[in-house]
């Protein structure tokens, strides 16, 4: 454990641990990674700006917006982060371009947002005299595994994952800082690349999806589950990578009008059939301080 009162200089905070369900308890997928003086946002789902506000992290302090794939629940908060982060108030204050790194599709997304919000930008420049430099964008796309960011002692490596045959591209991220490693699976089925890039991880943050057996006979449920990783398979990933701490985010608990969702205890029980190591089921604003060990701070 880290000593009481000390704070690690490498922290991961789950801003949103949810899925498309518009739940007030689990916002859309988004994760804040703070390494040294750099701040990264992995995806920006619904409510990401609200969670940053709760943490008193000005939106304009985000150095890089990383994107994993283009499902709307992972990107619907992007215009909010981009536009609200530009505002003059303490929660905004971006003066430099909104920097985005993502797989192919990032440029199209951002260019189309620039078109969609052209009137707002024109009005605020004329009315509030906001600097154009803070609403400018700087987008980098990649199309293969490799280093996508290296500066300030931080290295970010993208690696392709398998979110289904049609949902391409989709990438996870490995973030290295000061000899420590945090790995994020993104949305994926059981995938060997997560294990490969997860090697040596202090913290491995993985998605998970589960439905009760009686629901699994429904075709639409099977289709959803086929895009994700079931708890037993998450356990196999964790058992093969042996991180200091494995954690869940993007928690898909499927239900219908008649069949309730599995409970978190049931989910963990499934994982325990294949993995017996340290495990945390993330909640919104769960924070991980990565030092010699990984300390969990629950909100
Ligand atoms: Zn997805
Ligand atoms: Zn998703």
């Amino acid at each position: 454990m880290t000593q009481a009162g000390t704070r690690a200089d490498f922290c991961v905070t789950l801003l949103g641990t949810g899925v498309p369900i518009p739940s007030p308890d689990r916002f859309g997928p988004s994760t804040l990674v703070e390494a040294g003086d750099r701040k990264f946002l992995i995806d920006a789902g619904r409510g990401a700006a609200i969670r940053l506000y709760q943490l008193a992290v000005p939106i304009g302090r985000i150095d890089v917006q990383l994107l994993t794939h283009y499902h709307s629940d992972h990107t619907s908060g992007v215009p909010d982060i981009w536009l609200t982060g530009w505002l003059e108030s303490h929660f905004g204050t971006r003066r430099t371009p909104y920097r985005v790194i993502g797989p192919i599709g990032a440029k199209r997304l951002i260019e189309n947002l620039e078109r969609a919000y052209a009137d707002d930008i024109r009005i605020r420049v004329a009315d509030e005299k906001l600097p154009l430099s803070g609403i400018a964008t700087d987008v980098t796309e990649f199309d293969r595994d490799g280093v996508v960011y290296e500066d300030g002692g931080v290295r970010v490596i993208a690696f392709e994952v398998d979110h289904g045959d049609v949902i391409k591209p989709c990438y996870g991220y490995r973030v290295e800082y000061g000899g420590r490693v945090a790995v994020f699976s993104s949305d994926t089925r059981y995938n060997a690349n997560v294990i490969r890039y997860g090697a040596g991880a202090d913290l491995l943050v993985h998605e998970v999806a589960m439905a009760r057996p009686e629901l699994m006979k429904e075709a639409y449920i099977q289709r959803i589950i086929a895009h994700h990783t079931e708890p037993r398979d998450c356990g196999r990933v964790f058992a093969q990578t042996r991180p200091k701490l494995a954690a869940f985010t993007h928690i898909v608990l499927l239900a219908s009008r008649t069949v309730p969702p599995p409970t978190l205890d049931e989910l963990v029980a499934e994982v325990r059939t294949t993995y017996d190591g340290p495990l945390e089921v993330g909640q919104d604003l769960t924070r991980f301080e990565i030092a010699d060990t990984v300390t969990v701070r629950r909100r």
Side-chain angles (χ1 to χ4, degrees), residues 3-287:
Q3 289 179 341
T6 62
R7 291 175 78 86
D9 58 357
F10 188 20
C11 293
V12 169
T13 308
L14 306 177
L15 301 184
T17 57
V19 291
I21 302 167
S23 161
D25 301 319
R26 292 188 184 275
F27 281 8
S30 186
T31 302
L32 173 67
V33 181
E34 298 169 284
D37 65 355
R38 303 299 155 97
K39 296 189 193 300
F40 305 83
L41 212 54
I42 301 178
D43 289 334
R46 184 189 302 113
I50 299 172
R51 294 297 189 222
L52 286 176
Y53 187 71
Q54 287 178 284
L55 295 172
V57 174
I59 303 168
R61 269 293 287 115
I62 300 299
D63 294 291
V64 181
Q65 173 75 65
L66 298 164
L67 297 175
T68 63
H69 66 300
Y70 299 106
H71 266 149
S72 63
D73 52 314
H74 293 250
T75 62
S76 63
V78 165
D80 196 11
I81 295 289
W82 172 49
L83 294 158
T84 309
W86 181 42
L87 300 184
E88 191 74 22
S89 305
H90 62 281
F91 51 81
T93 68
R94 190 193 312 105
R95 293 284 177 272
T96 55
Y98 178 55
R99 188 166 179 199
V100 179
I101 299 174
I104 301 294
K107 287 185 176 169
R108 194 161 50 236
L109 174 70
I110 299 300
E111 284 167 8
N112 283 320
L113 287 175
E114 288 178 325
R115 267 190 284 281
Y117 287 97
D119 283 348
D120 175 69
I121 293 166
R122 178 180 53 74
I123 288 165
R124 289 188 192 276
V125 168
D127 179 45
E128 300 172 39
K129 316 298 181 205
L130 294 183
L132 276 171
S133 59
I135 200 65
T137 60
D138 174 2
V139 185
T140 306
E141 291 183 334
F142 57 81
D143 63 358
R144 68 199 67 182
D145 291 9
V147 176
V148 296
Y149 179 94
E150 189 158 24
D151 199 20
V154 186
R155 179 190 287 160
V156 180
I157 298 163
F159 59 91
E160 190 169 22
V161 293
D162 178 10
H163 194 13
D165 297 337
V166 178
I167 312 166
K168 293 181 183 298
C170 188
Y171 281 79
Y173 288 103
R174 174 185 171 99
V175 181
E176 302 175 348
Y177 177 72
R180 288 154 287 162
V181 177
V183 175
F184 306 88
S185 73
S186 174
D187 287 15
T188 187
R189 311 197 261 216
Y190 174 85
N191 185 244
N193 229 13
V194 179
I195 296 162
R196 180 169 167 227
Y197 284 91
D202 293 85
L203 174 67
L204 174 55
V205 180
H206 206 287
E207 70 120 82
V208 64
M210 184 177 176
R212 290 181 186 279
E214 55 268 42
L215 205 55
M216 285 296 288
K217 54 184 182 290
E218 303 285 347
Y220 78 99
I221 295 290
Q222 289 171 14
R223 189 174 63 245
I224 294 170
I225 289 286
H227 293 157
H228 297 286
T229 310
E230 292 187 84
R232 282 168 187 261
D233 286 335
C234 293
R236 290 168 61 209
V237 173
F238 299 152
Q240 289 174 85
T241 45
R242 288 276 155 199
K244 286 182 184 163
L245 179 66
F248 283 132
T249 190
H250 196 284
I251 297 160
V252 182
L253 298 173
L254 296 168
S256 70
R257 272 186 218 288
T258 52
V259 181
T263 65
L264 293 180
D265 285 344
E266 289 168 333
L267 181 146
V268 170
E270 281 290 305
V271 179
R272 288 301 181 208
T273 63
T274 53
Y275 171 66
D276 60 4
L279 175 68
E280 178 75 15
V281 179
Q283 299 181 341
D284 286 19
L285 296 175
T286 296
R287 178 180 178 87

